[in-house]
Amino acid sequence: MITEKKTRLIEVVLNRPLWQSFTYSLPLELDGGKLVGCRVAVPFGTHRLIGYVWGYTTADKTNTLEVKDVLGRLDANPLLTGSVLELTRWAADYYQAPPGMMMAAAHPPGISGKAERVVTLTGKIDPEHPFSAFLPAGKSIPVKLLRDSMSSTCPLERELSVLEKSGVLRTIWKPVSGPKPVMERIVEAAATDSALTRRADAMKRTAPRQAEILLYLATCEGPVTRRQLIRTTGATVSSLSGLIKKGIVKESYRRRYRESLIRSDIEKEKDIPVLSEAQEYALGVITKSLDRNEVFLIHGVTGSGKTEVYLRVISDVISKGRTALVLVPEISLTPLTVSRFSRRFPGLVTVLHSGMTAGERLDSWNLAKLGERRIVVGPRSAVFAPLPDLGIIVVDEEHDSSYKQNELPRYNSRDVAVVRGRMERIPVILGSASPSMESYGNANSGRYRLLELDSRIDGIPMPSTILIDEGSMHHPLISDELLKGIGRRTAKGEQSIVLINRRGFSPTQMCRNCGHREECPNCGITLTYHRKGQVLRCHYCNHWKAAMIRCPQCGFDEFAHMGPGIQKVEEYLRKLLPETRIIRMDADTTRGKDAHWDILSRFAQGEGDVLLGTQMVAKGHDFPGVTLVGVISADMGLAFPDFRAAERTFQLILQVAGRAGRGKIPGEVIIQTHSLKNPLIKAAANHDFADFWKRESGVRKMFGYPPYGYLVRFVWSGLDKGRVHKAANASVQGISRNDGSISDVLEAAFPRINRRWRWSVIAKSPSRKTLARISREVRKRFESAFHKGVRLEIDVDPYHLL
Ligand code: ADP
Ligand code: ZN
């Protein structure tokens, strides 16, 4: 390092699964202004990456032989506003997340990652200059391209710097990113589904990527875009072209609409209603404390008009010149909520959503930052939206598990929202008909203020419920009561919703002779049978194979398809009620862009009599025509070895039941279950949250689970079972346990996912501080020894313990 050149040392974090930061030196000309939080381009191994400045340092912490220079600075000021930057740093620390990944999560996608240097013409270049032919006016080209086009004797860097000084051109570092699509390509199969699967199976060894494509087309319903196909199958364009050449697959074009996200055909136009007494009271309480931080939990039964309260509060906030943030579960499943906001506040709302392109999201993000849009509605990641002068945060359906990110960086957006409210000194509203144990616990202890809306709008009664014993039905899956109920509704022009929370046709395909079932070689779990395309699929790692035609064990050719799955229910319903129009909604029918919206709006417009679906149909939909809700195998989720199984099952039943009878005609709910006497199912059937809370909180208290204690989960994984086990043991050995408990090192409930063996440890304590200390120690121990091929993931406040 040249000492007389005055440079500063800085710490940079990268969008990689790494906890540590890296030291670089900052050339003088890049210094100045607010530096922390800015993006910089840095050399990293053989790559050029874009990272975020985390802080200053005096000594090189990386211990590399030589501190490298920052190549370029991308921002004059950090893109994140001061408070969001602080929030992001808090989240990285609290969730023990890789800080660069946390920073990337708080930014719009596509603006970090790999870096490239581009050159743009800014003045007139001598037409004789060797560069001139390669520099089109108004366009940027990568410097690398220029270098490749010049002879190797050309002093490229010197020329660039001379021309830059004289104002002819400018070079900058920017992320390597693709163009924004306007048209999109549609891919279709030119053969029947099962023929595709057979063909795919035959090609599996020789052309695995092409096989993936064929399988995808065979099992997916509706049109598939090329982008989506390649993204989900991981196949390349050339393998697709190969299939097109062979004539198995066809391609065509379709227009892509940028604004397709806010659609209003889900619900009819309504006047702004006069508030009910309960709504008025809640509104009054909240608007009185708009100038300070307080967290409100609105516990309102389904159809009690929670959304209207949010809208009124926001209207108040907006009229004071401030901005508002609304978090919703996956947007594609809650189009109704989204459209209600954009309708009430035309021109003020922008939506952030994972289905948008990177360019679209960047646009929305910037509009919010500039104050051009004053309300942001978005899922999980929108909690970091750069709204200036934020006045309120709303978290709708706060119990929804989609607020918890299930991969790195693992944060819970609802909880980050609460912290953001505290940092910005503004109120936060959490709302749900079935609040999470955590939030209700906080309301009970007085940390949150509870507001109850305990009846439906306009005196509409809660639906009546009957429970049916699945053990004593005539039909294996559909009770007479449900069947008659649907038939009666259809005849009267009313609608029904049927929930069965399992994808596929049935959990297993079993040989009728020897009982053989096919298992996933990566995970050791029985493969799920999908009738469409005749495929067996692992729901954990996506491994698949063609369904058995002959049993590989005994050669027999008859099979039983055991257990319920949504495709089987669909088949039965179509057979038993041939006149009824059924619309199915699950992960397999909603893969296309906008597929969720299409299904929901078709059903809203009466194009179907029955909406049959997985948990997707339990979200906050409001279909006044629905008078019957049926739940098949309501106890299915209870068997999961997870302390949240009861809570999840209760929420699911309560939510789906809440879809019934929201219009003029009273609703009915039919719940089929094998555990008729289960108090939890009974509580859900009676819409009795208080009873559920009493029971479940007793259990949680006894075992120190949330909200009476906190958890951190550590999972070590890798291909070599012994090595993973050893790393896990070494990481927790000798950790002091005062006021916290650490479980033994145990195989995870799913001991092997995607070929990786998994060992886990759960730490539990009533003190978050203790858990943070334990996590840091585990991390330090893990990092201090080299465990080849072993990964450690830390999950703070975990949602799943599988
Ligand atoms: P929740 O979110 O609590 O389930 P919604 O906000 O969806 O309830 O409200 C249920 C229905 O009642 C919606 O159609 C909504 O437009 C309507 N609604 C809400 N408040 C009122 C009111 N004060 N008067 C009349 N209708 C209302
Ligand atoms: Zn698997």
Side-chain angles (χ1 to χ4, degrees):
M1 209 168 80
I2 309 161
T3 39
E4 59 265 51
K5 191 170 131 202
K6 261 183 57 206
T7 57
R8 265 218 250 197
L9 292 183
I10 57 168
E11 292 296 309
V12 173
V13 294
L14 299 169
N15 185 11
R16 296 265 160 129
L18 302 163
W19 282 295
Q20 87 228 59
S21 58
F22 298 87
T23 305
Y24 290 92
S25 75
L26 187 75
L28 205 56
E29 66 270 21
L30 297 181
D31 207 345
K34 253 195 215 146
L35 182 65
V36 173
C38 284
R39 291 174 302 157
V40 287
V42 293
F44 188 72
T46 55
H47 296 292
R48 304 274 176 272
L49 298 180
I50 293 173
Y52 298 89
V53 179
W54 196 243
Y56 299 99
T57 181
T58 45
D60 173 20
K61 287 197 209 136
T62 329
N63 285 325
T64 42
L65 296 172
E66 173 201 14
V67 178
K68 296 207 177 106
D69 272 352
V70 169
L71 300 168
R73 175 168 172 178
L74 280 71
D75 310 308
N77 285 298
L79 294 178
L80 299 184
T81 53
S83 57
V84 177
L85 189 58
E86 190 189 339
L87 184 70
T88 308
R89 297 176 77 102
W90 173 85
D93 179 59
Y94 178 78
Y95 290 105
Q96 304 280 324
M101 293 184 89
M102 207 65 235
M103 286 293 276
H107 283 85
I111 66 162
S112 64
K114 284 220 177 88
E116 70 175 354
R117 192 164 155 232
V118 298
V119 47
T120 321
L121 215 53
T122 48
K124 272 221 156 61
I125 189 165
D126 178 359
E128 297 295 307
H129 195 282
F131 289 1
S132 86
F134 301 98
L135 290 174
K139 260 198 178 152
S140 305
I141 69 154
V143 170
K144 190 171 169 293
L145 201 74
L146 198 60
R147 181 177 300 122
D148 293 346
S149 318
M150 295 297 130
S151 77
S152 57
T153 54
C154 172
L156 186 91
E157 288 301 330
R158 213 176 58 211
E159 267 312 296
L160 281 175
S161 120
V162 168
L163 292 175
E164 191 156 13
K165 281 215 181 80
S166 55
V168 172
L169 53 76
R170 205 159 53 102
T171 68
I172 52 162
W173 285 87
K174 66 178 230 11
V176 180
S177 62
K180 300 178 208 167
V182 183
M183 298 292 280
E184 61 188 0
R185 293 199 219 197
I186 302 294
V187 182
E188 278 167 302
T192 67
D193 294 332
S194 57
L196 283 183
T197 306
R198 322 241 97 241
R199 186 127 190 196
D201 212 6
M203 292 165 63
K204 225 166 153 181
R205 283 262 144 62
T206 50
R209 289 201 171 124
Q210 297 195 335
E212 280 296 332
I213 294 177
L214 293 185
L215 176 82
Y216 188 73
L217 292 173
T219 53
C220 195
E221 322 221 358
V224 180
T225 67
R226 180 162 104 158
R227 194 166 141 248
Q228 178 194 346
L229 178 76
I230 287 178
R231 197 170 48 196
T232 36
T233 59
T236 59
V237 176
S238 74
S239 46
L240 181 60
S241 320
L243 288 169
I244 295 170
K245 274 201 202 101
K246 284 185 203 152
I248 314 172
V249 164
K250 293 182 295 201
E251 262 195 344
S252 57
Y253 283 89
R254 180 173 81 171
R255 173 77 200 271
R256 180 193 172 88
Y257 294 99
R258 285 175 64 131
E259 279 286 28
S260 65
L261 270 163
I262 302 177
R263 276 169 48 170
S264 45
D265 51 353
I266 305 278
E267 193 191 36
K268 291 195 190 73
E269 194 76 57
K270 273 190 196 162
D271 292 336
I272 298 179
V274 178
L275 293 187
S276 71
E277 225 169 276
Q279 285 173 319
E280 195 73 68
Y281 176 76
L283 178 66
V285 170
I286 298 169
T287 47
K288 258 193 227 103
S289 59
L290 284 184
D291 53 354
R292 60 166 189 269
N293 171 240
E294 187 164 2
V295 183
F296 299 96
L297 174 63
I298 302 187
H299 173 210
V301 297
T302 49
S304 60
K306 294 182 284 294
T307 312
E308 190 59 37
V309 176
Y310 311 151
L311 289 166
R312 296 294 174 96
V313 175
I314 290 173
S315 159
D316 203 26
V317 168
I318 296 296
S319 72
K320 295 194 167 74
R322 308 186 74 178
T323 60
L325 172 61
V326 182
L327 299 180
V328 294
E330 304 138 74
I331 283 195
S332 53
L333 299 177
T334 49
L336 177 63
T337 312
V338 178
S339 77
R340 277 188 192 161
F341 280 90
S342 54
R343 256 199 213 170
R344 185 67 61 88
F345 306 105
L348 293 180
V349 177
T350 191
V351 173
L352 291 171
H353 174 240
S354 59
M356 293 158 79
T357 63
E360 288 165 352
R361 272 209 269 182
L362 187 60
D363 286 353
S364 292
W365 200 84
N366 279 322
L367 287 171
K369 187 172 171 174
L370 295 170
E372 301 268 322
R373 299 280 185 277
R374 307 210 353 240
I375 303 170
V376 168
V377 180
R380 195 165 58 217
S381 63
V383 73
F384 298 105
L387 285 157
D389 200 10
L390 188 60
I392 186 90
I393 306 176
V394 173
V395 185
D396 191 24
E397 309 289 358
E398 65 86 24
H399 65 278
D400 198 281
S401 61
S402 74
Y403 286 121
K404 177 71 201 274
Q405 173 139 309
N406 245 327
E407 53 196 44
L408 290 176
R410 298 170 181 271
Y411 64 100
N412 186 321
S413 180
R414 175 198 64 210
D415 298 340
V416 175
V418 168
V419 173
R420 183 167 184 182
R422 202 161 63 215
M423 285 179 175
E424 306 222 16
R425 284 188 222 83
I426 54 168
V428 177
I429 306 175
L430 313 179
S432 175
S434 50
S436 61
M437 294 297 291
E438 284 87 343
S439 296
Y440 205 76
N442 278 328
N444 262 356
S445 70
R447 290 181 56 191
Y448 296 175
R449 181 145 173 201
L450 185 64
L451 294 167
E452 307 217 51
L453 304 178
D454 49 22
S455 57
R456 284 184 160 181
I457 289 295
D458 285 344
I460 292 174
M462 295 305 286
S464 60
T465 311
I466 54 170
L467 285 167
I468 308 258
D469 181 7
E470 282 194 338
S472 54
M473 297 186 328
H474 291 126
H475 189 275
L477 276 181
I478 299 161
S479 61
D480 293 343
E481 289 83 351
L482 183 56
L483 204 61
K484 280 200 199 107
I486 295 173
R488 219 168 38 236
R489 296 318 188 289
T490 309
K492 284 196 284 186
E494 296 168 22
Q495 293 175 300
S496 312
I497 290 180
V498 177
L499 171 91
I500 159 119
N501 200 19
R502 189 183 274 139
R503 275 172 69 195
F505 186 85
S506 68
T508 48
Q509 180 193 27
M510 190 183 81
C511 170
R512 277 198 194 278
N513 184 38
C514 73
H516 173 78
R517 314 166 180 208
E518 297 277 79
E519 281 188 355
C520 174
N522 305 327
C523 311
I525 294 163
T526 307
L527 297 174
T528 302
Y529 173 71
H530 286 237
R531 173 145 297 184
K532 173 121 175 43
Q534 296 286 332
V535 180
L536 297 173
R537 212 185 244 291
C538 171
H539 284 185
Y540 294 94
C541 76
N542 264 334
H543 173 86
W544 60 272
K545 65 199 307 187
M548 292 184 275
I549 295 182
R550 245 167 224 299
C551 173
Q553 298 286 331
C554 70
F556 201 64
D557 61 359
E558 272 179 43
F559 302 93
H561 301 117
M562 299 185 348
I566 190 166
Q567 295 177 359
K568 191 190 258 183
V569 172
E570 182 184 17
E571 200 173 283
Y572 282 144
L573 281 178
R574 287 193 194 282
K575 226 178 270 164
L576 296 165
L577 299 166
E579 305 290 307
T580 307
R581 296 165 305 160
I582 297 165
I583 301 179
R584 200 180 101 211
M585 185 177 193
D586 60 24
D588 297 296
T589 60
T590 51
R591 291 195 224 170
K593 188 175 157 62
D594 288 350
H596 300 91
W597 296 65
D598 288 336
I599 289 181
L600 293 172
S601 66
R602 270 171 54 211
F603 188 63
Q605 282 157 11
E607 280 179 39
D609 304 308
V610 174
L611 180 65
L612 168 67
T614 52
Q615 38 82 27
M616 290 180 185
V617 297
K619 307 281 161 168
H621 315 306
D622 190 19
F623 302 114
V626 172
T627 54
L628 174 68
V629 165
V631 183
I632 292 173
S633 300
D635 49 337
M636 196 153 61
L638 286 176
F640 270 122
D642 188 328
F643 77 96
R644 281 186 215 273
E647 181 182 6
R648 258 187 231 122
T649 301
F650 176 80
Q651 285 165 349
L652 183 64
I653 299 174
L654 198 80
Q655 289 289 341
V656 75
R659 305 307 118 210
R662 292 167 73 98
K664 303 245 146 48
I665 308 163
E668 188 187 4
V669 181
I670 296 175
I671 298 174
Q672 299 180 183
T673 171
H674 277 106
S675 359
L676 212 49
K677 296 223 167 68
N678 189 311
L680 194 130
I681 304 249
K682 273 195 190 148
N686 298 328
H687 318 283
D688 193 344
F689 181 83
D691 184 48
F692 160 74
W693 164 261
K694 214 173 73 208
R695 287 170 193 285
E696 186 60 15
S697 62
V699 176
R700 300 279 180 100
K701 203 179 244 162
M702 191 149 66
F703 294 104
Y705 281 131
Y708 303 100
Y710 304 104
L711 303 178
V712 174
R713 183 170 193 243
F714 306 89
V715 177
W716 293 262
S717 68
L719 298 176
D720 183 320
K721 191 173 178 182
R723 221 178 258 154
V724 178
H725 192 197
K726 217 174 112 200
N729 277 322
S731 315
V732 295
Q733 203 148 49
I735 287 190
S736 91
R737 308 180 174 211
N738 42 4
D739 68 330
S741 70
I742 305 176
S743 75
D744 291 334
V745 175
L746 292 172
E747 279 197 318
F750 288 135
R752 196 171 177 223
I753 291 184
N754 221 347
R755 311 193 99 91
R756 300 178 72 88
W757 293 98
R758 304 164 77 239
W759 295 84
S760 75
V761 162
I762 292 171
K764 192 159 66 174
S765 168
S767 149
R768 286 201 156 113
K769 260 211 194 92
T770 302
L771 286 180
R773 175 184 54 76
I774 292 174
S775 306
R776 271 192 293 271
E777 281 184 40
V778 171
R779 208 173 98 185
K780 216 162 68 206
R781 269 157 230 250
F782 176 74
E783 285 182 312
S784 69
F786 179 62
H787 299 289
K788 190 163 177 268
V790 181
R791 190 154 67 206
L792 166 62
E793 288 201 26
I794 302 179
D795 194 355
V796 177
D797 302 334
Y799 249 64
H800 296 276
L801 300 185
L802 302 173

